[in-house]
Amino acid sequence: MQPARLRQILDKARGQRVLCIGDVMLDRFVYGVVSRISPEAPVPVLRQTRAVSMPGGAANVARNLSSLGLLPVIIGSVGTDEAGAELSALLDQSSGISAHLVPLKDRPTTLKTRLVAGGQQLLRLDAEDTGPPDAASERAVMTAIEETLPSVSAVLVSDYAK
């Protein structure tokens, strides 16, 4: 598609509310320097220099929609844990995004942590429970979707199998 035509389409869509349903998660990047191998096992030792967290999964899709001038409404579930609180706070700070995150008591927020040194990802650690949610949580998500549908122009489903 020609860039000028794409800009026209996006200009027409600007300001439209889009429901984004899916697997929300917290993406964390831990950056550092590797200067030695561990004496305990033949693995690099990463000396952390900084860490950055951002909305991931369907929450990242909502951020991308927002960057295009759309008004995403994200519906998903999080654990009642530190990662869920951090993700909620990050989405609250994101301009133009409305988040409806259903708290799940018995499971963690999906957290993907990437360890990076010298521009190279060394390892990704996933903390997650990919089993189905309990019936009450599923009903809460479905209710949020049903209540939001009349106020949006489009629905986007983002499934990361989480």
Side-chain angles (χ1 to χ4, degrees):
M1 182 177 290
Q2 298 174 349
R5 179 68 180 131
L6 182 57
R7 275 193 296 279
Q8 289 175 338
I9 292 169
L10 290 174
D11 284 343
K12 280 185 173 181
R14 192 171 311 279
Q16 295 294 310
R17 286 173 47 96
V18 177
L19 174 56
C20 185
I21 305 165
D23 307 338
V24 297
M25 57 194 78
L26 184 65
D27 283 344
R28 184 169 291 146
F29 294 83
V30 177
Y31 297 94
V33 176
V34 172
S35 59
R36 64 188 179 98
I37 300 297
S38 171
E40 301 160 351
V43 296
V45 175
L46 180 71
R47 183 176 47 83
Q48 181 176 330
T49 56
R50 68 186 173 103
V52 178
S53 296
M54 61 190 64
N60 184 52
V61 172
R63 287 179 57 222
N64 292 335
L65 292 170
S66 177
S67 75
L68 295 172
L70 298 164
L71 300 173
V73 178
I74 181 80
I75 296 177
S77 58
V78 294
T80 55
D81 53 16
E82 185 179 316
E86 186 175 357
L87 177 56
S88 294
L90 288 169
L91 287 170
D92 287 346
Q93 296 166 8
S94 298
S95 178
I97 297 176
S98 298
H100 299 282
L101 302 179
V102 175
L104 304 178
K105 291 178 268 179
D106 298 327
R107 52 192 294 156
T109 301
T110 297
L111 170 62
K112 294 197 289 188
T113 303
R114 295 161 181 89
L115 304 179
V116 182
Q120 176 69 43
Q121 183 173 314
L122 304 175
L123 179 71
R124 188 177 96 187
L125 173 65
D126 290 1
E128 62 189 359
D129 177 349
T130 59
D134 62 56
S137 299
E138 187 175 318
R139 278 192 306 276
V141 169
M142 294 306 297
T143 298
I145 292 168
E146 290 168 351
E147 290 174 353
T148 304
L149 275 174
S151 67
V152 298
S153 300
V155 176
L156 189 148
V157 177
S158 179
D159 184 0
Y160 283 77
K162 302 290 182 188

